Amino acid sequence: MPTIKDVAKLAGVSVATVSRVLNDSGYVNLETRQRVEQAISELNYRPNNVARSLFNGRSQMIALLVPDIMNPYFPELARAVEDFTKQNDYTFVLCNTDDDLEKEMHYIYALQQKSVDGIIIVSSKISEERLNEVSIPIVALDRIVSTKISSITVNNREGARQAVKYLKAKGCKRIAHICGPENVSNSKERLSGYMDEVKNEGWLLSSYVVSGDYQYETAMDATKRLLTNHPEIDGIFVANDLMGVAALKATQELGLIVPKDISIIGFDGISLGEQITPSITTMKQPIYEMGTRAAELLIQQINEKSISVQHEQFDVTLIERDSTKKKGGTSFE
Amino acid sequence: MPTIKDVAKLAGVSVATVSRVLNDSGYVNLETRQRVEQAISELNYRPNNVARSLFNGRSQMIALLVPDIMNPYFPELARAVEDFTKQNDYTFVLCNTDDDLEKEMHYIYALQQKSVDGIIIVSSKISEERLNEVSIPIVALDRIVSTKISSITVNNREGARQAVKYLKAKGCKRIAHICGPENVSNSKERLSGYMDEVKNEGWLLSSYVVSGDYQYETAMDATKRLLTNHPEIDGIFVANDLMGVAALKATQELGLIVPKDISIIGFDGISLGEQITPSITTMKQPIYEMGTRAAELLIQQINEKSISVQHEQFDVTLIERDSTKKKGGTSFE
DNA sequence: TTGATTTGTGTAACCCGTTACATATATAGT
DNA sequence: ACTATATATGTAACGGGTTACACAAATCAA
């Protein structure tokens, strides 16, 4: 690959002049500029970003760390971040952490050592203490990691309450909850929202809450166990759509009809939810806007170095689909 | 961030000695080594990878470029590449190209300028000519991009033939095909396989082949049109599972029962196919092995710089699920 | 005309590691 | 005792850019 020296030699100028042309900085005579540009295109020269990064400590690269690339929620989120960062001339890269602290720290260090300009992270494992070791801008998305790190989340608790209220309005008498991992903030909040709405119900049993760990397999097993032990359940609020699909599958394998025998409502609003049959009623997050906003916040932080921490919370919206529509049920308008 | 100089000063040695400790190269006295290690941990020093990259032209980073991160096939593939590259001490990053040549080239250049060590690419747009401008190791995955670039693919044509044969064995009399984009190699091959098996059938109409563009939405519309125009269709071979899900949805919206009224077989073997109801019979690719093998090949290329181009083709396997099981049908053993 | 500015370009230091080479001491071999 | 070799460490060049600073020519102001 040609270097700036080759260009300088071909154009008969110094490397400083070539650099000025490249960065459009300082004074360069028009004629000289043209000679340099000619040389650049002749050699098909592209400046070495590593050298640039070394000098100015920037790489024009932004990374997104997600816990589970196989959950469609994250590709959708990634899509949004990608679009916004690209518009702002950053190279976007995606990394998968398995929600594993070691992998997260490994990526953060590796990226920092590569002078990545900023990181957006979806994490439930990282602690404030560990983050102190890191010196690049970070924004948390979907989950809060620390009060000192800006975050973009949704109103999980309120969303969960709405979901349960909706099931009630549809006529469900015994509502269970498939929850996510207990150490994930949004999972806890969704559980709280559920509890808010059912804690005073006479029918509530502690075994109406089972953990699906935000995973398909776990959720399917959990749902089967739940429904086998409690045939009286006629509504399930599932903490995310991926598990919603699992719950649906479980009910069908048990010979139950959704929504006739049982209603299912999910959370997230991923497109998968409407692609399957029956489509899943859900509490939709504004995924694209959230990703966009997180990227915006991060870029702001990179540029201004102002350390004003912001915690923004979006609202979720009920999307009524086929997994809950009951002939006899009241509409929820 | 502390630099190697800070470490050297604190340990009372030269930077060369610190570097020797870091890289475990050359001679270092045990006592000196300990002093240096002490200084390193005291300062929480981590070598700057950009500087390393600048010197030796390597970044220990590998990238995977995929055309559509929202198609679950690619996250599954990514997962495999990630695992293997990580095992070999590379940092793995994922980039989404939208199957758009501009974005592909943008990423390739950006990554090359960051001294990425190698790229695995899933592309149907890139030409041999454009690839000549690139000077880092590349391996093609899922789709062949050039005879000069090593590739990992599957036997699409044979897989497609098996799929159609299977539908026939199950008793289907009129078999249609939802194909992918016409400029994508594997899509063309799957179409060829379909044609191999039906071209001599008296019932074949050219309108039995419709394009779903490997996209959910397009495929659903296409399927609806197909089945509305041709109610006689009782079997569909769909060129990928994502479109298979769409086809399933379409049939259900038209009031048809799968597999009673119509059988559907997909291609890819993504986990989504077994998560929905009815689960989709498919021609399964060994996705994980393919990703692993591509990464292995790439790393080999990076290390050996031998330019032996290899084109490896994996076989696909029929996975019989619920979208084709018919009581009356013959088993396909 | 002369000093102040603007314009135009080059030299060299710097970013932070790695490593070739130089140097020095210790140990081994004969 | 005297090379030959192993051990130990430092100096400085290098990778490919950016930019502070120096300097010269051109333009401007008074």
Side-chain angles (χ1 to χ4, degrees):
Chain A
M1 290 211 289
T3 73
I4 198 171
K5 279 185 193 156
D6 301 320
V7 176
K9 192 178 290 176
L10 183 59
V13 296
S14 74
V15 292
T17 300
V18 177
S19 180
R20 283 188 199 103
V21 171
L22 288 172
N23 299 292
D24 218 356
S25 65
Y27 295 108
V28 181
N29 185 37
L30 179 61
E31 203 193 312
T32 314
R33 156 168 279 122
Q34 286 167 346
R35 266 209 330 278
V36 171
E37 278 163 355
Q38 168 68 21
I40 287 173
S41 80
E42 216 166 288
L43 294 169
N44 194 12
Y45 165 78
R46 283 160 197 279
N48 180 326
N49 252 313
V50 175
R52 279 187 167 169
S53 295
L54 179 58
F55 184 83
N56 57 35
R58 287 187 161 217
S59 64
Q60 284 295 306
M61 185 155 65
I62 281 178
L64 170 64
L65 271 54
V66 300
D68 181 13
I69 201 185
M70 310 267 276
N71 177 343
Y73 175 74
F74 296 110
E76 290 193 29
L77 211 46
R79 195 52 229 253
V81 176
E82 181 200 347
D83 286 351
F84 193 86
T85 49
K86 183 169 192 301
Q87 276 166 39
N88 288 269
D89 291 319
Y90 285 90
T91 300
F92 169 76
V93 300
L94 181 59
C95 307
N96 183 57
T97 65
D98 284 331
D99 204 18
D100 175 89
L101 182 59
E102 286 313 307
K103 280 186 84 174
E104 285 174 350
M105 293 312 294
H106 174 266
Y107 268 119
I108 290 178
Y109 283 130
L111 294 168
Q112 181 175 262
Q113 283 165 36
K114 286 172 176 46
S115 294
V116 163
D117 293 351
I119 297 178
I120 298 177
I121 184 165
V122 180
S123 167
S124 36
K125 290 290 162 48
I126 248 178
S127 63
E128 209 164 295
E129 189 196 353
R130 294 294 239 135
L131 280 175
N132 285 335
E133 302 167 17
V134 179
S135 53
I136 48 175
I138 296 187
V139 167
L141 183 52
D142 181 51
R143 305 172 187 186
I144 290 173
V145 300
S146 148
T147 50
K148 292 180 189 156
I149 299 286
S150 290
S151 68
I152 302 292
T153 50
V154 292
N155 196 330
N156 292 292
R157 188 159 183 171
E158 179 54 29
R161 294 178 62 168
Q162 272 183 49
V164 177
K165 276 187 206 160
Y166 169 80
L167 287 179
K168 283 182 178 175
K170 282 289 167 182
C172 295
K173 301 298 179 204
R174 300 290 155 97
I175 301 170
H177 178 47
I178 316 282
C179 67
E182 57 184 14
N183 59 323
V184 177
S185 60
N186 57 26
S187 163
K188 277 184 290 193
E189 292 161 21
R190 290 170 202 178
L191 174 58
S192 300
Y194 165 79
M195 290 308 296
D196 289 345
E197 295 300 320
V198 300
K199 64 171 181 283
N200 293 324
E201 300 288 347
W203 47 257
L204 180 66
L205 298 176
S206 66
S207 51
Y208 278 12
V209 175
V210 295
S211 175
D213 203 37
Y214 278 169
Q215 302 281 338
Y216 181 90
E217 289 296 342
T218 320
M220 186 155 81
D221 294 346
T223 309
K224 279 186 185 166
R225 246 179 298 117
L226 173 76
L227 294 178
T228 308
N229 295 337
H230 298 290
E232 73 275 16
I233 298 287
D234 59 357
I236 309 180
F237 164 48
V238 189
N240 75 4
D241 284 344
L242 183 63
M243 296 196 301
V245 177
L248 195 61
K249 183 79 178 177
T251 57
Q252 286 163 332
E253 290 196 356
L254 291 173
L256 298 167
I257 308 287
V258 172
K260 190 169 73 65
D261 302 322
I262 190 166
S263 281
I264 293 178
I265 184 168
F267 204 107
D268 280 355
I270 60 180
S271 47
L272 175 58
E274 56 186 336
Q275 292 175 349
I276 63 173
T277 306
S279 55
I280 301 183
T281 297
T282 193
M283 300 308 301
K284 185 183 178 62
Q285 300 187 38
I287 300 180
Y288 199 88
E289 286 161 75
M290 291 167 65
T292 303
R293 184 65 186 133
E296 197 176 0
L297 227 53
L298 182 66
I299 292 175
Q300 233 168 277
Q301 251 184 62
I302 292 169
N303 293 331
E304 301 172 20
K305 297 175 186 221
S306 68
I307 326 154
S308 87
V309 177
Q310 297 187 41
H311 294 277
E312 294 185 16
Q313 208 172 47
F314 284 76
D315 284 327
V316 295
T317 327
L318 175 69
I319 305 287
E320 192 169 30
R321 291 201 280 241
D322 301 335
S323 67
T324 51
K325 272 179 202 146
K326 283 185 177 176
K327 288 173 198 129
T330 330
S331 153
F332 188 70
E333 311 294 324
Chain B
M1 289 212 292
T3 73
I4 199 170
K5 277 185 196 159
D6 301 320
V7 176
K9 192 178 291 177
L10 182 60
V13 298
S14 73
V15 293
T17 301
V18 178
S19 181
R20 282 187 200 105
V21 172
L22 289 171
N23 299 293
D24 218 358
S25 66
Y27 293 109
V28 181
N29 187 35
L30 179 61
E31 203 193 315
T32 313
R33 156 168 280 124
Q34 286 168 344
R35 268 211 326 281
V36 171
E37 278 164 356
Q38 168 68 22
I40 287 173
S41 80
E42 217 166 290
L43 294 170
N44 195 9
Y45 166 77
R46 283 160 197 280
N48 179 326
N49 251 314
V50 174
R52 279 186 167 169
S53 294
L54 178 59
F55 184 84
N56 58 34
R58 287 185 162 216
S59 64
Q60 284 296 305
M61 185 156 64
I62 281 178
L64 170 64
L65 271 53
V66 300
D68 181 13
I69 200 184
M70 310 267 276
N71 177 345
Y73 175 75
F74 296 109
E76 289 193 30
L77 211 46
R79 195 51 228 254
V81 176
E82 181 199 348
D83 287 351
F84 193 86
T85 50
K86 184 169 192 299
Q87 275 166 40
N88 287 269
D89 291 318
Y90 285 90
T91 300
F92 169 75
V93 299
L94 181 60
C95 306
N96 183 58
T97 64
D98 284 330
D99 205 18
D100 174 89
L101 182 58
E102 287 312 308
K103 281 186 83 174
E104 285 174 351
M105 293 311 294
H106 173 265
Y107 267 119
I108 291 179
Y109 283 130
L111 294 168
Q112 182 175 262
Q113 282 165 35
K114 287 174 176 46
S115 296
V116 163
D117 293 351
I119 297 177
I120 298 177
I121 185 165
V122 180
S123 167
S124 35
K125 290 290 160 49
I126 249 179
S127 62
E128 210 163 297
E129 188 195 354
R130 293 293 240 135
L131 279 174
N132 285 336
E133 302 166 18
V134 179
S135 52
I136 48 175
I138 296 187
V139 167
L141 182 52
D142 181 50
R143 306 174 187 186
I144 290 173
V145 299
S146 148
T147 50
K148 291 178 189 158
I149 301 285
S150 289
S151 67
I152 302 293
T153 51
V154 292
N155 196 331
N156 292 293
R157 188 161 184 168
E158 179 53 29
R161 294 178 61 168
Q162 271 184 49
V164 177
K165 276 187 204 159
Y166 170 78
L167 287 178
K168 283 182 177 174
K170 282 289 168 183
C172 295
K173 300 298 178 204
R174 300 290 154 96
I175 301 170
H177 179 46
I178 316 283
C179 66
E182 58 184 12
N183 59 324
V184 177
S185 60
N186 58 25
S187 163
K188 276 184 290 194
E189 291 161 23
R190 290 170 202 179
L191 174 58
S192 300
Y194 165 80
M195 289 308 295
D196 288 346
E197 294 300 320
V198 300
K199 62 170 184 284
N200 293 324
E201 299 289 347
W203 47 257
L204 181 65
L205 298 175
S206 65
S207 50
Y208 278 13
V209 175
V210 294
S211 175
D213 203 36
Y214 278 168
Q215 303 282 338
Y216 181 89
E217 288 297 340
T218 320
M220 188 157 78
D221 295 347
T223 309
K224 280 186 183 166
R225 245 180 297 116
L226 173 76
L227 294 179
T228 309
N229 295 338
H230 298 290
E232 74 276 16
I233 298 289
D234 59 358
I236 308 181
F237 164 48
V238 188
N240 74 4
D241 284 343
L242 183 63
M243 297 196 301
V245 177
L248 195 60
K249 183 80 178 176
T251 56
Q252 286 163 333
E253 290 195 358
L254 292 174
L256 297 167
I257 308 288
V258 173
K260 190 170 75 64
D261 302 322
I262 189 165
S263 282
I264 293 180
I265 185 168
F267 204 107
D268 279 354
I270 59 179
S271 46
L272 175 58
E274 54 186 337
Q275 292 175 349
I276 63 172
T277 306
S279 56
I280 301 182
T281 296
T282 193
M283 300 306 303
K284 185 183 178 60
Q285 300 187 36
I287 300 181
Y288 198 87
E289 285 162 75
M290 290 167 65
T292 302
R293 184 67 185 132
E296 196 176 359
L297 227 54
L298 182 66
I299 291 174
Q300 231 169 281
Q301 250 184 62
I302 290 169
N303 292 330
E304 299 172 18
K305 295 170 191 227
S306 67
I307 326 153
S308 88
V309 177
Q310 297 188 41
H311 294 277
E312 294 185 14
Q313 210 173 47
F314 284 76
D315 284 327
V316 295
T317 327
L318 175 69
I319 305 288
E320 191 170 29
R321 293 201 279 239
D322 302 334
S323 67
T324 51
K325 273 181 199 145
K326 283 187 180 176
K327 287 173 198 130
T330 329
S331 151
F332 189 72
E333 310 293 324

